Amino acid sequence: HGGAAAAALAQHVRTVQIPNHRVGTVIGKQGSTVAQIERMSRVSITIEKTPVAPAHGSAPPGELARNLHIDGPDPTATEAAARLIFELLADRIDGRLLAKGIVQPVSKPPPPSRGPPGYF
């Protein structure tokens, strides 16, 4: 017995490591960023309090990491949350906007124009 009901209760957990010094970036002001990632991806995120030695490549050499657990209804949800976290940590999306539910690339100032005024 169980079948579909048991399957509905099954959760998918993905654990990733983030550099210890970037935990605040993921959490955001008063937890706003992590709450928004949870809402957008339909997941629950838990960040362990104790820093650990990083797995290969998850933090700079000599730096500690923190385990972050993403608990979602399916692999698509946990993967979407992990992708948002990695984009945020790579400074590819704006954390202040993400905290408001807006996924937007970090805006870089336009390169200075070369040539005389009016020339593009």
Side-chain angles (χ1 to χ4, degrees), residues 37-63:
I37 293 170
E38 288 178 323
R39 222 179 344 255
M40 292 166 72
S41 307
R42 306 178 341 274
V43 300
S44 172
I45 295 173
T46 309
I47 301 172
E48 290 182 8
K49 297 240 182 281
T50 310
V52 295
H56 179 72
S58 64
E63 169 101 34

Side-chain angles (χ1 to χ4, degrees), residues 24-40 84 88 93-104:
T25 302
V26 174
I27 294 172
K29 190 173 184 181
Q30 298 179 327
S32 57
T33 303
V34 74
Q36 195 61 44
I37 293 170
E38 288 178 323
R39 222 179 344 255
M40 292 166 72
L84 280 172
L88 178 65
I93 55 177
D94 190 316
R96 288 176 306 225
L97 291 176
L98 181 59
K100 297 176 183 153
I102 303 164
V103 177
Q104 182 172 315

